Amino acid sequence: MSKVADKVFLIVTDDPEEQSITVKCEPEHERALEPAIPRSPRYLDKRHWIALGPGRCITKRLIDVAIEHSYDLVIDGLSQSERPPRAPGPDPAAR
């Protein structure tokens, strides 16, 4: 489980029989990922979380984008005082 400021943004299963990651996702973003056939996550609000597992449409880029989107959603929901310091690198507004 990965968190930022005690808020979960990524869950990675450790079950070798059912490899998947679960990330926060806005419904609009989920529709854009639909070709990758996101699975409904267990035990979480299915409107705000998606599970991605192995499959033909799952690429490293898709996983990276899904994780970044989930992290950004959590950061956007934090107050300024709760936000972690920005890491050096490209400006996220340029994405």
Side-chain angles (χ1 to χ4, degrees), residues 21-91:
I21 66 165
T22 302
V23 292
K24 278 185 85 77
C25 187
E26 294 174 316
E28 300 82 37
H29 194 70
E30 180 180 356
R31 282 191 287 281
L33 293 175
E34 215 162 303
I37 311 168
R39 294 186 270 169
S40 294
R42 295 182 191 173
Y43 318 115
L44 297 169
D45 181 349
K46 290 164 182 51
R47 280 192 56 230
H48 300 287
W49 292 87
I50 60 170
L52 299 170
R56 287 192 345 238
C57 297
I58 304 297
T59 63
K60 181 180 181 330
R61 178 74 181 130
L62 178 103
I63 298 295
D64 290 345
V65 167
I67 292 170
E68 287 175 21
H69 177 71
S70 181
Y71 182 86
D72 290 344
L73 281 175
V74 171
I75 293 292
D76 290 347
L78 298 174
S79 67
Q80 286 294 97
S81 64
E82 292 177 303
R83 292 182 184 193
R86 291 182 47 97
D91 179 4

